[in-house]
Amino acid sequence: MDQRNRNSKPVKNQDPINGFIKAREIFVIDENGDKRGVMSKREAIELAESQDLDLLQVGTQPDGTAIAKIVNYGKYKYEQQKKLKEVKKNSSKTENKEIRLTVNIGQHDLETKARKAKEFLLDGDRVKISLKFKGREIAYMDLGEETLRKFFALIEDVAKIEKEPKLTSRFLDMYVVPKKN
């Protein structure tokens, strides 16, 4: 390995390797996974250097002894990045979408908004259904709840209620999420 690795300052969030391992005694595992036992830090680093490899700290024992593995650090970092990229690729990001309704919404408008909400839910998104009370409509809370029930009846084949309707200022909000198949 080249000398600049050994004498330069470690990069932040970098694994402790070679001379940057703080422990005096190190339990060494070689590149094949065989246990080599406890050695001094200097002996362990010399063993790794004799094989043109690096000493990487992978853990600590309760008594303070470091656990280190002899690895090709460049290859190790490459494998870690590859795994991270695979995890990111397979993870799904859910978005929050919102559908706004009013107390006196027409049936056709309700069906159109329900169709749009179904699209969001089928894409795996969480949907917030907000019913806005204008002026004195707030006195007719039961009409608002009925409108939300009608709306949910149109989408209940693909959705389940995550949070029941709750009044926040002038809005009656309800959250729905996709049903698991």
Side-chain angles (χ1 to χ4, degrees):
M1 297 266 113
D2 55 9
Q3 283 298 345
R4 61 193 155 112
N5 257 5
R6 306 209 192 301
N7 298 327
S8 62
K9 283 188 175 181
V11 181
K12 253 189 179 174
N13 300 329
Q14 180 178 331
D15 303 310
I17 60 170
N18 301 326
F20 299 113
I21 297 174
K22 289 185 170 65
R24 292 173 195 243
E25 291 197 331
I26 300 173
F27 182 81
V28 180
I29 302 169
D30 67 13
E31 69 274 8
N32 300 324
D34 299 329
K35 296 174 184 170
R36 290 294 194 90
V38 178
M39 300 180 186
S40 72
K41 179 177 166 180
R42 189 174 43 76
E43 288 174 14
I45 291 173
E46 286 173 4
L47 177 66
E49 285 177 352
S50 70
Q51 300 171 15
D52 279 340
L53 296 172
D54 296 299
L55 191 65
L56 171 71
Q57 183 176 343
V58 292
T60 311
Q61 291 180 339
D63 65 354
T65 306
I67 302 171
K69 192 169 186 178
I70 297 175
V71 294
N72 179 340
Y73 189 67
K75 185 177 178 183
Y76 171 80
K77 286 300 285 183
Y78 173 74
E79 294 292 329
Q80 295 292 72
Q81 288 173 344
K82 219 163 106 173
K83 285 179 188 175
L84 190 64
K85 194 181 267 188
E86 190 67 29
V87 166
K88 280 184 180 178
K89 187 175 86 172
N90 292 336
S91 69
S92 62
K93 185 175 180 252
T94 59
E95 288 188 39
N96 293 324
K97 301 290 185 175
E98 183 175 14
I99 301 283
R100 283 228 174 142
L101 308 173
T102 59
V103 175
N104 297 320
I105 190 169
Q107 183 62 30
H108 183 265
D109 292 341
L110 197 66
E111 290 168 1
T112 304
K113 290 190 183 258
R115 240 187 340 269
K116 195 65 184 167
K118 274 187 180 182
E119 282 179 32
F120 293 147
L121 290 163
L122 292 173
D123 287 342
D125 298 328
R126 177 180 171 201
V127 181
K128 175 183 177 181
I129 303 158
S130 296
L131 188 126
K132 184 176 183 180
F133 291 104
K134 297 176 187 168
R136 294 187 182 179
E137 288 177 348
I138 200 136
Y140 300 101
M141 191 71 68
D142 54 331
L143 289 176
E145 289 173 352
E146 184 182 328
T147 304
L148 281 179
R149 274 196 303 276
K150 281 185 198 173
F151 183 81
F152 184 71
L154 296 171
I155 62 169
E156 69 182 337
D157 56 325
V158 295
K160 67 178 181 180
I161 296 175
E162 184 182 51
K163 286 187 184 172
E164 292 293 329
K166 183 180 176 187
L167 187 67
T168 53
S169 68
R170 290 203 151 274
F171 290 94
L172 192 60
D173 295 332
M174 175 171 78
Y175 289 87
V176 294
V177 291
K179 268 187 184 174
K180 302 281 186 234
N181 291 341

